Amino acid sequence: MKGLRGGTGGFLPLFLLLPAVAFILVMYVYPFALSIIRSFTDEAGSLSLVNYHKAVSLYGRDILFSIQVAVLGTLISTGLSLALAAYIRLSDSRVARLVNSMSRLGIFLPYVVVAQMMRSFLAPHGLLNVLLANMGLVDIDTPLQLFNIRGLTFGFLWKETPFITFIVLSGLQVIDDTYIEAARSVGARTRHVILRILLPMIKPTIAIAVVLTFCTIVSTFTLPYMIVAGNPTTVTVDIAHRVTYFGDYRVASALGVFLYLIVGAMAIYYLRRTVREEVYGY
Amino acid sequence: MGTKWRRALLEGLLLCLVFFVIFGPISSLLIWSIAIRWYWPHVLPQEIGLAYWKQALGLQRDWAIAAVSIWGAFGTSMLVALVSTALVMTMAIPAGYALARFRVPLKALILLLFLMPKAFPQQPIFVNLLPTFTRWGLAGTVQGVILIHILVCLIFGVWITTSAFKAIPQELEEAARSVGATRWRTFWKVLLPLAAPGLLVSTVFVFITSLTEFTGTFFIGLPFVTTLPMLLYSSSGYNMQFASVIAIVLLIPSLLFMVLIQRVFRPEYMGGIAG
């Protein structure tokens, strides 16, 4: 069929795509380029590294903190998700189904709600400390201080573990039961079925989920802004301070470029893989 | 027998743990929203009541309760979300149709444009739009916030719409074309009705994304445009009760969406992953 399968669409497809593409060019690509240019420009408007110098000397510790949170959050949530997804896939018990539906909750809750939730739950006198203190696990006078890397990581785990579990589980559910039965019939134990058969079959899916989680954690502003008290904090919070307190767009842009660099390799992997699959089908 | 018991015990423990981790923070919100007085280290509040809810919903005005009516912010949020969603879908439906049904020139480059905002942090984008928006008189206005929300939502709109069109087999359109229907008529009478459920998912997803958008509104809208997330943020520091009430209001649409689309939601919607 001419035209429908492509080929002779002529300018029609470009015309159809024009509004969306034009919008992204003006509202995304232009400010993206601007953020890089601005980061290399000094007050007088000439090429300079002064913003990077400032960014590193003032916020070097926070750059490391952002990386630390992202690595920690991604590793733990991936580990938990793989275990949960494999358990849900292999078990047909009521508990597994219940765990599955409960774990979906986090995927759709917006970060601003999660942030408020964590702010009240993890507070020094919040519900978690109240419960722990009443169970005698925490001293009433010295409750857990969680408005730092621990609470932040917990918040990210709460939101991202359901997401990875959902993606990985969708991958696992496509795998035919016969693979599992065949492995079991030659004596493979559950651990081997998961580690040697199921997970290797969906490696690309796992990779995409991990990469997207890493990028999301690095990019998120809401959660650290609302729950991390004082220093060290994430680069996203520093960017907001730089802009709202100092009106300093240049150092903020340099910090933004650091964010681009942190997600760099992962983001490029995701872009290449997704584009290649869509365009060439592999 | 021994392994069976051990398994049941382990599953019970897992269930308790998952339940506590997921519902602990949520119940903290619920309790705070009805707590009038709650002193450390009591497990439950000393005094509960709906005062903060009533005040937030405009049912009462009491100067002793630190909460304002949320209807103003609710109106702003709805206006922004409705207009953004309408404009996003107006752009996303033609774009999704083109990506799903045509051999598009420069397809790789165009896809890259629609994927980049997901891969790279958007905050530097908002920051660098702010001076431009200020020059154009868009900073701190509803129009400016709508533009930002369109930016945040457009890529989701395009992905989900593309995947909704792709899920419909082409044979039906080919049949319509072969008996002489124009491309326009085929799109309108064959493809659009078939893809309607997927397009609805896309529309609702975009709407909720706009309703709960924080970062872009923070940079472009503050201090003049108060959406619900902004109101939540501004009360979050000093007023646990009022902030919890707003958080629950914001949580409701997402929960409804989750329950409604549980079955049709697919992983590629979340990451533009090829289906």
Side-chain angles (χ1 to χ4, degrees), chain B residues 28-39 44-53 65 239-242 244-245:
Chain B
S28 172
L29 271 192
L30 292 174
I31 300 172
W32 266 116
S33 81
I34 54 165
I36 307 292
R37 283 182 304 129
W38 190 2
Y39 297 124
L44 291 171
Q46 281 71 50
E47 187 188 340
I48 60 165
L50 291 176
Y52 284 90
W53 277 99
I65 302 288
N239 191 334
M240 210 49 112
Q241 288 96 328
F242 185 41
S244 301
V245 169

Side-chain angles (χ1 to χ4, degrees), chain A residues 35-36 39-40 48-57 250-251 253-255 257-258 261:
Chain A
S35 73
I36 294 173
S39 75
F40 286 107
S48 150
L49 284 174
V50 64
N51 303 318
Y52 287 93
H53 188 77
K54 255 192 197 170
V56 172
S57 64
R250 288 183 300 272
V251 172
S253 296
L255 288 169
V257 173
F258 276 110
L261 291 176

Side-chain angles (χ1 to χ4, degrees), chain A residues 4-63:
Chain A
L4 256 181
R5 288 275 187 213
T8 59
F11 285 109
L12 183 60
L14 286 182
F15 176 73
L16 292 171
L17 280 159
L18 186 68
V21 168
F23 190 90
I24 296 286
L25 284 176
V26 175
M27 293 282 294
Y28 186 81
V29 176
Y30 166 68
F32 189 89
L34 214 55
S35 73
I36 294 173
I37 295 169
R38 220 172 237 145
S39 75
F40 286 107
T41 313
D42 68 10
E43 237 162 308
S46 46
L47 193 70
S48 150
L49 284 174
V50 64
N51 303 318
Y52 287 93
H53 188 77
K54 255 192 197 170
V56 172
S57 64
L58 291 174
Y59 305 109
R61 187 160 160 234
D62 292 348
I63 294 171

